[in-house]
Structure formats: C-alpha cells, structure tokens
Amino acid sequence: MRTAIALFTRDLRVRDNPVLAGARAAADRVVPLFVLDNTLLLTSHGRPNRFGFLAESLRDLDQSLRERGGALFVRRGDWVEEVLRVAKQGDATTIHVARDISGYAQARLARLQSAAPMDVTTHDSITVVPPAAFGKPFVVFAPYYNRWLDASWRGLAPLPRRMSLPEDVEIGALPRGASPGTWQGGERAGLARLKAWTARGLRGYAARRDDPGADETSRLSPYLHFGCVSALEVASRLWDRTGSTELLRQLCWRDFYAQLLSWRPAVAHDDLRPGTAPVWRDAPGDFEAWKAGRTGFPFVDAGMRQLHAEGWMHNRVRMVVASFLTRDLRIDWREGARHFMDLLVDGDVANNQLNWQWVAGTGTDANPHRVLNPTLQGRDHDPGGVYVRRWIRELRDVPPDVDIHDPPFDVRRMTRYSEPIIDHHEAIEMWRASRGPRPGRGSADAT
Ligand code: FAD
C-alpha cells in the first residue's frame, strides 16, 4: 500500500486541484493535509478577517473530502516539521504540493524539499498560466497579456471520486473562525458566487465594473486568493462567453503580478523601480484620518469605511484611496499596503503590494505620473452618489441637487461630515516637487 500526502496551501478545493489529483494518482491512500503555519499566523496573514475565511474554507474542504471517503488532516506549528511528522506517521512515499510565489512560500517549500526523505512533487495550480511559463519575466503588462492570450493551458485536473485514508494517523482539529460581513469561505460558496454572477451576464461587468455603486464585479477575489475556486477553471469556463474579455484581462493581471513576485520576491517591500518614489511624509494624523475614513473626501472615505465593514473594497475605489494616500498625503505605499493586508479578506501579497506600487508610481504603471483626483473620480464613477450614500451615514440624506462628492461647507457642518484635510491641487504640486528622477521602462533583465 502506497501513501501520498496531498498538502493543501492556498488551493482549498477538490475541483481542478492538481495536488489532490496527483496524490490520488500516485498512491492507494491519501492524507489530505493542511498545516496552520505559525510563522504566517503571526504576521498579517493571521488577521481575523482572513483567518475567519480560511477556517470556513477548511471546514468546507473537509466536508467535500469526507463525501469522498477522506477527511482533512490538520496540524499547527512549524510548517515543514509538521508536514514531515505526518508523512512519517503515515509512512508516505511522496508529498504533493502547489508551487507558490511569495519569498516566504518559496523558501518554505525549498526547506521542505531539502529536509524530506521522500519525493516532493510540485504542481502549478494557483494561476491560470504558471509564473515561469514564459521564461523571462515581464514588467510591462501589455506584452504579457498578448503572450498570455496565446499560451496553452494545462487541462483541468480530474475530480477524485473516492479516496482512502491511512488508519494510524490522527486527524486533528479544524480551526474555528468566521468571515467578516456577508462573506462565506469555501469552495461551495465560491462556486455558487461564480454561478450566480455569470448567470447575471458578463455584459454588465464590462459596462459597469468601474461603478462601485452598481457592485457588478465578481467578488471572487477571496476565493481566488485561497484557491477555493481555480483561476484556470474560471478562465476556461468563461473563455468563450460573450463579454468575458474584461474578466479574462483581470485574471491576467493576477497572473502578471504573480510572475513578477515569483521572479523578484523583494518587491513585496522594495520599490520595483528604485528612485521613482517621492520623499515620503511622516504624518500620523493624516494616516489615521485616512484609515478611519475621515479625510473629508467622500469617495475616499466611503472606500475606507467599506473596507472596515466588509473586509473588501471595490477595485476603482482601492485605486483612488491608494492614490490619495501616496499622492495627496504623500505617505509611503508600504503603510497603506500594510493596513489593507490587516483588513482585506482577499489580502494577497502579489496583488496587494504590486497594485500599491502601480498606484504609487514605483511599480509597473506605464504612466506613473497619473494623478487620480478624488472628487472627479467620485463624480465620474459614482455619479448618483449611490456608493457614497451607502457608506457615509452622515451624507445619506443629502438632497440630490447637492454635489455629494464635494459637499459645500454648510452641508458638511449640518451633517457633521469632516472638512477636507488637505487641498488636493496644492498637495499634488508638493508631490510633483518632491519626486525623484523619472522612471525608465524596466530593468535590464526583464521584458
Ligand atoms: P473582478 O473585477 O471580478 O476581477 C476578477 C478577479 O481578477 C479578481 O477576483 C482578482 O483575482 C483579479 N483581479 C482583478 N483586478 C485585479 C488587479 N488590479 N490586479 C490583480 N488581480 C486583479 N486584489 C486581491 O485579490 N488582493 C489584494 O490584496 C488586492 N489589493 C489591491 C490593492 C490596491 C491598492 C489595488 C488598486 C488593487 C488591489 N487588488 C487586490 C486588485 C483588485 O482591486 C481586486 O482583485 C478586486 O477588486 C477584487 O474584486 P473582484 O473579485 O470583484 O474583481
């Protein structure tokens, strides 16, 4: 009897899971295992919003495995030590695991590979196209997108029907925890969301994905982050559907950032293009006002309040609040990224840090001089003020003829909504004056 470990990380699903399918094909008995990694739990990865979603996703995975004669084995501690302990107890001949991209994940896997006496087989299951698929990394999105559209994709991994477990390994306890707001972790909830969203039709997405009041985006990001749904399966299912181009493009952005981080993990904290950052300000009062949604700029404040309430924020508003922090307040993008990681259910090192860098102008934006005016962005993308009214209680009953994205002084006073903490135009002048040399088009060793 051969035993294999199917080591789950952020591929918490039974459908299209190459790790599970690989372990199932390699052995008679499979130990589906998840290790709560103490090192990660002590960092922002262990914050309550994401931990709650993770706990629900693990429970859901356990249920799916039990329906197939299996169960999810759970351990907590040093990731490598715990995996090897279970492998030894189960007399496993092989460990199957997904290749991941952050510096920590890569080092953790390397540590496992060098310590394991048995074979460790790695699979690409996190992105649509594997990070190393095109050899040389890309730092510019457009050429990457063209390559991505032409790439051949792996076939979907088969769904294991039945599995058997070794008898002499203790199963362990699933963690407790619940997602914030209306989120529900797990593969079932993720697939239900995908189904409901695609049934509404993709045309609404293409037309209104930048309108946060309409809330037409898929909200699949936490499911993709934890791998409750497979990015490849989503892309394959939608490829031929009318109106899918925009969604595929977003999935490509996800792959694009994954290949960048995988190639250069230090960009999680270092500027991708050194020398492009402005002189950052140390302004704790402004930072607190931004975090609390009390900047006096309604579109920015609505976003920050949505983040607090839901552990999630619409993409357009993420761009605007990030621009406000890094351009108007000139506070280091790392501070904003850290706050996002503290609260986001979908908090993801590649997507978060590299989107922050994109907005801050230190990353991959081909136009790093772009400035998002928070008032004009609100008028353009939330013309009826639906989003602002939803999240800013003080402004909920402001009459329709008032410019809700720049309420006059008397309206602010009556509703007790804050005055703007800065003058946008003056702040942008200061930002321009404080910037370093203009960025180049990319580093020498990348496309
Ligand atoms: P949809 O529009 O339905 O897109 C589908 C999927 O494509 C998303 O679920 C996501 O996986 C991917 N995607 C969409 N936009 C982007 C993008 N710009 N970059 C990379 N992938 C994208 N996304 C995260 O998943 N985690 C983060 O921590 C994160 N932090 C961000 C921080 C900032 C400052 C900004 C500007 C963006 C950030 N994003 C992050 C990207 C984007 O805002 C979210 O993926 C998106 O809002 C999730 O909503 P959705 O699932 O409805 O997206």
Side-chain angles (χ1 to χ4, degrees), residues 45 74 88 107 123 127 186 190-191 225 246 263 268-269 302 321 337 365 400 405 409 436 441-442:
H45 294 271
V74 180
K88 193 168 170 213
H123 300 267
T127 47
L191 291 173
H225 170 70
E246 272 306 312
W263 163 60
H269 37 83
V321 304
D365 188 0
H405 292 289
F409 177 72
R441 291 285 300 174

PDB file of all heavy atoms in Angstrom, residues 45 74 88 107 123 127 186 190-191 225 246 263 268-269 302 321 337 365 400 405 409 436 441-442:
ATOM      1  N   HIS A  45      -0.927  37.717   7.826  1.00  0.00           N
ATOM      2  CA  HIS A  45      -1.704  36.610   7.240  1.00  0.00           C
ATOM      3  C   HIS A  45      -2.684  36.031   8.245  1.00  0.00           C
ATOM      4  O   HIS A  45      -3.651  35.391   7.884  1.00  0.00           O
ATOM      5  CB  HIS A  45      -0.778  35.504   6.745  1.00  0.00           C
ATOM      6  CG  HIS A  45       0.054  35.963   5.593  1.00  0.00           C
ATOM      7  ND1 HIS A  45      -0.367  35.858   4.295  1.00  0.00           N
ATOM      8  CD2 HIS A  45       1.253  36.570   5.567  1.00  0.00           C
ATOM      9  CE1 HIS A  45       0.553  36.372   3.500  1.00  0.00           C
ATOM     10  NE2 HIS A  45       1.543  36.807   4.237  1.00  0.00           N
ATOM     11  N   VAL A  74      -5.411  18.123  10.009  1.00  0.00           N
ATOM     12  CA  VAL A  74      -4.986  19.496  10.328  1.00  0.00           C
ATOM     13  C   VAL A  74      -3.917  19.464  11.412  1.00  0.00           C
ATOM     14  O   VAL A  74      -4.031  18.723  12.397  1.00  0.00           O
ATOM     15  CB  VAL A  74      -6.186  20.351  10.805  1.00  0.00           C
ATOM     16  CG1 VAL A  74      -5.740  21.777  11.133  1.00  0.00           C
ATOM     17  CG2 VAL A  74      -7.272  20.396   9.741  1.00  0.00           C
ATOM     18  N   LYS A  88       5.781  10.901   8.118  1.00  0.00           N
ATOM     19  CA  LYS A  88       6.411   9.754   8.786  1.00  0.00           C
ATOM     20  C   LYS A  88       5.348   8.845   9.418  1.00  0.00           C
ATOM     21  O   LYS A  88       5.374   7.621   9.232  1.00  0.00           O
ATOM     22  CB  LYS A  88       7.374  10.274   9.859  1.00  0.00           C
ATOM     23  CG  LYS A  88       8.297   9.229  10.391  1.00  0.00           C
ATOM     24  CD  LYS A  88       9.403   9.859  11.206  1.00  0.00           C
ATOM     25  CE  LYS A  88      10.150   8.735  11.917  1.00  0.00           C
ATOM     26  NZ  LYS A  88      10.656   9.140  13.204  1.00  0.00           N
ATOM     27  N   ALA A 107      10.733  29.900   0.009  1.00  0.00           N
ATOM     28  CA  ALA A 107      11.760  29.426   0.950  1.00  0.00           C
ATOM     29  C   ALA A 107      11.230  28.251   1.770  1.00  0.00           C
ATOM     30  O   ALA A 107      11.955  27.283   2.047  1.00  0.00           O
ATOM     31  CB  ALA A 107      12.177  30.568   1.876  1.00  0.00           C
ATOM     32  N   HIS A 123       3.258  21.182  -8.074  1.00  0.00           N
ATOM     33  CA  HIS A 123       2.274  21.386  -9.151  1.00  0.00           C
ATOM     34  C   HIS A 123       1.987  22.872  -9.288  1.00  0.00           C
ATOM     35  O   HIS A 123       2.021  23.610  -8.303  1.00  0.00           O
ATOM     36  CB  HIS A 123       0.959  20.684  -8.810  1.00  0.00           C
ATOM     37  CG  HIS A 123       1.095  19.215  -8.617  1.00  0.00           C
ATOM     38  ND1 HIS A 123       0.899  18.303  -9.632  1.00  0.00           N
ATOM     39  CD2 HIS A 123       1.425  18.482  -7.521  1.00  0.00           C
ATOM     40  CE1 HIS A 123       1.082  17.064  -9.167  1.00  0.00           C
ATOM     41  NE2 HIS A 123       1.413  17.152  -7.887  1.00  0.00           N
ATOM     42  N   THR A 127      -2.276  29.900 -10.479  1.00  0.00           N
ATOM     43  CA  THR A 127      -2.564  30.868 -11.540  1.00  0.00           C
ATOM     44  C   THR A 127      -3.140  30.149 -12.768  1.00  0.00           C
ATOM     45  O   THR A 127      -3.153  28.918 -12.820  1.00  0.00           O
ATOM     46  CB  THR A 127      -1.260  31.586 -11.941  1.00  0.00           C
ATOM     47  OG1 THR A 127      -0.248  30.581 -12.112  1.00  0.00           O
ATOM     48  CG2 THR A 127      -0.800  32.543 -10.857  1.00  0.00           C
ATOM     49  N   GLY A 186     -15.000  29.068   1.383  1.00  0.00           N
ATOM     50  CA  GLY A 186     -15.167  27.690   0.940  1.00  0.00           C
ATOM     51  C   GLY A 186     -15.484  27.557  -0.542  1.00  0.00           C
ATOM     52  O   GLY A 186     -15.944  28.489  -1.196  1.00  0.00           O
ATOM     53  N   GLY A 190     -17.869  29.702  -3.125  1.00  0.00           N
ATOM     54  CA  GLY A 190     -17.176  30.319  -4.264  1.00  0.00           C
ATOM     55  C   GLY A 190     -17.825  29.923  -5.585  1.00  0.00           C
ATOM     56  O   GLY A 190     -18.056  30.765  -6.459  1.00  0.00           O
ATOM     57  N   LEU A 191     -18.148  28.636  -5.721  1.00  0.00           N
ATOM     58  CA  LEU A 191     -18.771  28.184  -6.974  1.00  0.00           C
ATOM     59  C   LEU A 191     -20.174  28.757  -7.111  1.00  0.00           C
ATOM     60  O   LEU A 191     -20.605  29.115  -8.209  1.00  0.00           O
ATOM     61  CB  LEU A 191     -18.815  26.649  -7.018  1.00  0.00           C
ATOM     62  CG  LEU A 191     -17.434  25.982  -7.166  1.00  0.00           C
ATOM     63  CD1 LEU A 191     -17.543  24.467  -7.032  1.00  0.00           C
ATOM     64  CD2 LEU A 191     -16.777  26.345  -8.502  1.00  0.00           C
ATOM     65  N   HIS A 225      -7.916  33.948  -3.989  1.00  0.00           N
ATOM     66  CA  HIS A 225      -6.738  34.019  -3.123  1.00  0.00           C
ATOM     67  C   HIS A 225      -6.519  32.696  -2.383  1.00  0.00           C
ATOM     68  O   HIS A 225      -5.390  32.195  -2.313  1.00  0.00           O
ATOM     69  CB  HIS A 225      -6.833  35.158  -2.121  1.00  0.00           C
ATOM     70  CG  HIS A 225      -5.763  35.079  -1.087  1.00  0.00           C
ATOM     71  ND1 HIS A 225      -4.431  35.320  -1.380  1.00  0.00           N
ATOM     72  CD2 HIS A 225      -5.791  34.697   0.214  1.00  0.00           C
ATOM     73  CE1 HIS A 225      -3.699  35.116  -0.299  1.00  0.00           C
ATOM     74  NE2 HIS A 225      -4.501  34.728   0.681  1.00  0.00           N
ATOM     75  N   GLU A 246     -13.073  41.348 -20.567  1.00  0.00           N
ATOM     76  CA  GLU A 246     -12.637  42.186 -19.440  1.00  0.00           C
ATOM     77  C   GLU A 246     -12.257  41.346 -18.222  1.00  0.00           C
ATOM     78  O   GLU A 246     -11.291  41.616 -17.532  1.00  0.00           O
ATOM     79  CB  GLU A 246     -13.737  43.179 -19.059  1.00  0.00           C
ATOM     80  CG  GLU A 246     -13.675  44.473 -19.829  1.00  0.00           C
ATOM     81  CD  GLU A 246     -12.296  45.125 -19.736  1.00  0.00           C
ATOM     82  OE1 GLU A 246     -11.753  45.238 -18.633  1.00  0.00           O
ATOM     83  OE2 GLU A 246     -11.752  45.518 -20.780  1.00  0.00           O
ATOM     84  N   TRP A 263       9.408  36.060  -9.500  1.00  0.00           N
ATOM     85  CA  TRP A 263      10.756  36.353 -10.022  1.00  0.00           C
ATOM     86  C   TRP A 263      11.548  37.191  -9.025  1.00  0.00           C
ATOM     87  O   TRP A 263      12.723  36.959  -8.770  1.00  0.00           O
ATOM     88  CB  TRP A 263      10.583  37.085 -11.356  1.00  0.00           C
ATOM     89  CG  TRP A 263      11.790  37.822 -11.860  1.00  0.00           C
ATOM     90  CD1 TRP A 263      13.003  37.296 -12.164  1.00  0.00           C
ATOM     91  CD2 TRP A 263      11.866  39.233 -12.136  1.00  0.00           C
ATOM     92  NE1 TRP A 263      13.849  38.290 -12.618  1.00  0.00           N
ATOM     93  CE2 TRP A 263      13.174  39.486 -12.608  1.00  0.00           C
ATOM     94  CE3 TRP A 263      10.959  40.291 -12.042  1.00  0.00           C
ATOM     95  CZ2 TRP A 263      13.610  40.751 -12.978  1.00  0.00           C
ATOM     96  CZ3 TRP A 263      11.387  41.554 -12.415  1.00  0.00           C
ATOM     97  CH2 TRP A 263      12.705  41.772 -12.875  1.00  0.00           C
ATOM     98  N   ALA A 268       7.786  42.783  -2.686  1.00  0.00           N
ATOM     99  CA  ALA A 268       6.741  42.860  -1.653  1.00  0.00           C
ATOM    100  C   ALA A 268       7.032  44.023  -0.700  1.00  0.00           C
ATOM    101  O   ALA A 268       6.131  44.523  -0.046  1.00  0.00           O
ATOM    102  CB  ALA A 268       6.658  41.555  -0.878  1.00  0.00           C
ATOM    103  N   HIS A 269       8.284  44.444  -0.614  1.00  0.00           N
ATOM    104  CA  HIS A 269       8.603  45.592   0.258  1.00  0.00           C
ATOM    105  C   HIS A 269       9.496  46.632  -0.412  1.00  0.00           C
ATOM    106  O   HIS A 269       9.512  47.789  -0.010  1.00  0.00           O
ATOM    107  CB  HIS A 269       9.226  45.122   1.585  1.00  0.00           C
ATOM    108  CG  HIS A 269      10.130  43.953   1.439  1.00  0.00           C
ATOM    109  ND1 HIS A 269      11.420  44.093   1.059  1.00  0.00           N
ATOM    110  CD2 HIS A 269       9.899  42.620   1.587  1.00  0.00           C
ATOM    111  CE1 HIS A 269      11.979  42.883   0.983  1.00  0.00           C
ATOM    112  NE2 HIS A 269      11.086  41.974   1.303  1.00  0.00           N
ATOM    113  N   ALA A 302     -15.707  56.782   1.768  1.00  0.00           N
ATOM    114  CA  ALA A 302     -16.648  55.672   1.560  1.00  0.00           C
ATOM    115  C   ALA A 302     -15.860  54.368   1.386  1.00  0.00           C
ATOM    116  O   ALA A 302     -16.210  53.329   1.959  1.00  0.00           O
ATOM    117  CB  ALA A 302     -17.511  55.949   0.341  1.00  0.00           C
ATOM    118  N   VAL A 321      -8.272  55.461  -3.210  1.00  0.00           N
ATOM    119  CA  VAL A 321      -7.779  55.670  -1.830  1.00  0.00           C
ATOM    120  C   VAL A 321      -6.256  55.502  -1.772  1.00  0.00           C
ATOM    121  O   VAL A 321      -5.578  56.176  -0.996  1.00  0.00           O
ATOM    122  CB  VAL A 321      -8.459  54.748  -0.778  1.00  0.00           C
ATOM    123  CG1 VAL A 321      -9.967  54.909  -0.797  1.00  0.00           C
ATOM    124  CG2 VAL A 321      -8.072  53.295  -0.920  1.00  0.00           C
ATOM    125  N   ALA A 337      -0.371  49.607   2.199  1.00  0.00           N
ATOM    126  CA  ALA A 337      -0.460  48.177   1.870  1.00  0.00           C
ATOM    127  C   ALA A 337      -0.605  47.355   3.154  1.00  0.00           C
ATOM    128  O   ALA A 337      -1.360  46.377   3.197  1.00  0.00           O
ATOM    129  CB  ALA A 337       0.780  47.752   1.086  1.00  0.00           C
ATOM    130  N   ASP A 365       3.117  50.648 -13.558  1.00  0.00           N
ATOM    131  CA  ASP A 365       2.259  51.538 -14.348  1.00  0.00           C
ATOM    132  C   ASP A 365       3.084  52.202 -15.447  1.00  0.00           C
ATOM    133  O   ASP A 365       4.130  52.803 -15.189  1.00  0.00           O
ATOM    134  CB  ASP A 365       1.632  52.615 -13.438  1.00  0.00           C
ATOM    135  CG  ASP A 365       0.580  53.451 -14.180  1.00  0.00           C
ATOM    136  OD1 ASP A 365       0.359  53.177 -15.379  1.00  0.00           O
ATOM    137  OD2 ASP A 365      -0.001  54.345 -13.558  1.00  0.00           O
ATOM    138  N   PRO A 400     -30.479  65.349  -3.707  1.00  0.00           N
ATOM    139  CA  PRO A 400     -29.796  65.009  -4.973  1.00  0.00           C
ATOM    140  C   PRO A 400     -29.170  66.218  -5.669  1.00  0.00           C
ATOM    141  O   PRO A 400     -28.245  66.046  -6.460  1.00  0.00           O
ATOM    142  CB  PRO A 400     -30.903  64.398  -5.840  1.00  0.00           C
ATOM    143  CG  PRO A 400     -32.146  64.378  -5.028  1.00  0.00           C
ATOM    144  CD  PRO A 400     -31.885  64.972  -3.693  1.00  0.00           C
ATOM    145  N   HIS A 405     -19.991  64.705  -3.905  1.00  0.00           N
ATOM    146  CA  HIS A 405     -18.549  64.427  -3.916  1.00  0.00           C
ATOM    147  C   HIS A 405     -17.715  65.622  -3.473  1.00  0.00           C
ATOM    148  O   HIS A 405     -16.497  65.495  -3.302  1.00  0.00           O
ATOM    149  CB  HIS A 405     -18.122  63.914  -5.303  1.00  0.00           C
ATOM    150  CG  HIS A 405     -18.714  62.560  -5.554  1.00  0.00           C
ATOM    151  ND1 HIS A 405     -18.291  61.442  -4.891  1.00  0.00           N
ATOM    152  CD2 HIS A 405     -19.746  62.168  -6.331  1.00  0.00           C
ATOM    153  CE1 HIS A 405     -19.012  60.398  -5.266  1.00  0.00           C
ATOM    154  NE2 HIS A 405     -19.917  60.811  -6.133  1.00  0.00           N
ATOM    155  N   PHE A 409     -19.735  73.823   2.456  1.00  0.00           N
ATOM    156  CA  PHE A 409     -19.411  73.985   3.873  1.00  0.00           C
ATOM    157  C   PHE A 409     -20.636  73.795   4.777  1.00  0.00           C
ATOM    158  O   PHE A 409     -20.602  73.082   5.774  1.00  0.00           O
ATOM    159  CB  PHE A 409     -18.771  75.370   4.081  1.00  0.00           C
ATOM    160  CG  PHE A 409     -18.458  75.670   5.508  1.00  0.00           C
ATOM    161  CD1 PHE A 409     -17.404  75.034   6.162  1.00  0.00           C
ATOM    162  CD2 PHE A 409     -19.232  76.583   6.214  1.00  0.00           C
ATOM    163  CE1 PHE A 409     -17.122  75.308   7.493  1.00  0.00           C
ATOM    164  CE2 PHE A 409     -18.955  76.862   7.538  1.00  0.00           C
ATOM    165  CZ  PHE A 409     -17.901  76.218   8.174  1.00  0.00           C
ATOM    166  N   GLY A 436      11.599  61.952  -7.305  1.00  0.00           N
ATOM    167  CA  GLY A 436      12.949  61.654  -7.781  1.00  0.00           C
ATOM    168  C   GLY A 436      12.982  61.667  -9.297  1.00  0.00           C
ATOM    169  O   GLY A 436      12.052  62.146  -9.950  1.00  0.00           O
ATOM    170  N   ARG A 441      11.899  52.313 -18.484  1.00  0.00           N
ATOM    171  CA  ARG A 441      10.845  51.409 -18.943  1.00  0.00           C
ATOM    172  C   ARG A 441      10.968  50.000 -18.377  1.00  0.00           C
ATOM    173  O   ARG A 441      10.260  49.108 -18.770  1.00  0.00           O
ATOM    174  CB  ARG A 441      10.853  51.328 -20.475  1.00  0.00           C
ATOM    175  CG  ARG A 441      10.416  52.576 -21.136  1.00  0.00           C
ATOM    176  CD  ARG A 441       8.911  52.759 -21.055  1.00  0.00           C
ATOM    177  NE  ARG A 441       8.167  51.665 -21.703  1.00  0.00           N
ATOM    178  CZ  ARG A 441       6.864  51.537 -21.657  1.00  0.00           C
ATOM    179  NH1 ARG A 441       6.147  52.378 -20.964  1.00  0.00           N
ATOM    180  NH2 ARG A 441       6.260  50.548 -22.281  1.00  0.00           N
ATOM    181  N   GLY A 442      11.905  49.781 -17.489  1.00  0.00           N
ATOM    182  CA  GLY A 442      12.002  48.425 -16.939  1.00  0.00           C
ATOM    183  C   GLY A 442      13.430  48.095 -16.687  1.00  0.00           C
ATOM    184  O   GLY A 442      14.326  48.788 -17.149  1.00  0.00           O
TER     185      GLY A 442
END
